[in-house]
Amino acid sequence: MKDSWERADFLKLLYFRSFRDKSVLKSLPIPLAELEKEIFSRTERKHIYYQGIDTFIQMNKRIPFLNLSVPLLIISKKLGFGQKIYKYIADNREIFPVNHCSDQFCEINNR
């Protein structure tokens, strides 16, 4: 999934870092248990943190051909089902191989 986002990000506005990298984990004010549950992001300049559906809203804002999806994502969030859909997807993903992630990444397989 990360590779797909990087290919779409031709403006190079997204930067992916793994919380499994010990130096990254030490710099985050977010508990490991939360990082393992859902995606988090941070703005580079203001260091504002986002999670779940808000991270996808921020990512879509930075990829021109995905800009059209931003209003729909915001509406789904405001109506209360955007985060629920994100949470359902995050809760039902499988990480392969189980408990064998490297410091840089884990492979994810969505069912």
Side-chain angles (χ1 to χ4, degrees):
M1 181 181 234
K2 175 183 155 268
D3 293 338
S4 298
W5 282 98
E6 287 178 327
R7 280 192 301 275
D9 180 26
F10 61 89
L11 297 176
K12 305 297 180 211
L13 297 175
L14 302 177
Y15 179 64
F16 294 89
R17 296 185 66 192
S18 172
F19 69 87
R20 287 175 176 47
D21 178 330
K22 289 173 182 34
S23 65
V24 172
L25 184 59
K26 287 179 186 178
S27 70
L28 296 173
I30 303 163
L32 177 61
E34 292 299 311
L35 293 167
E36 289 175 333
K37 287 181 188 173
E38 63 184 315
I39 192 169
F40 283 81
S41 62
R42 185 190 80 188
T43 59
E44 188 174 19
R45 291 191 184 122
K46 295 182 181 179
H47 299 284
I48 298 168
Y49 285 87
Y50 298 95
Q51 71 184 83
I53 192 69
D54 290 315
T55 288
F56 282 98
I57 291 169
Q58 294 303 312
M59 290 168 65
N60 284 325
K61 283 181 177 181
R62 287 158 178 80
I63 298 178
F65 69 88
L66 294 176
N67 283 180
L68 295 174
S69 69
V70 172
L72 296 173
L73 291 170
I74 292 171
I75 290 168
S76 73
K77 177 188 171 193
K78 293 197 182 283
L79 292 176
F81 64 86
Q83 182 64 20
K84 288 179 184 176
I85 292 171
Y86 167 78
K87 189 86 171 105
Y88 175 81
I89 293 168
D91 288 347
N92 289 287
R93 69 179 183 215
E94 292 181 26
I95 299 175
F96 291 104
V98 177
N99 296 324
H100 292 93
C101 300
S102 73
D103 284 346
Q104 296 301 317
F105 65 90
C106 287
E107 291 183 27
I108 296 178
N109 180 24
N110 288 323
R111 293 184 217 179

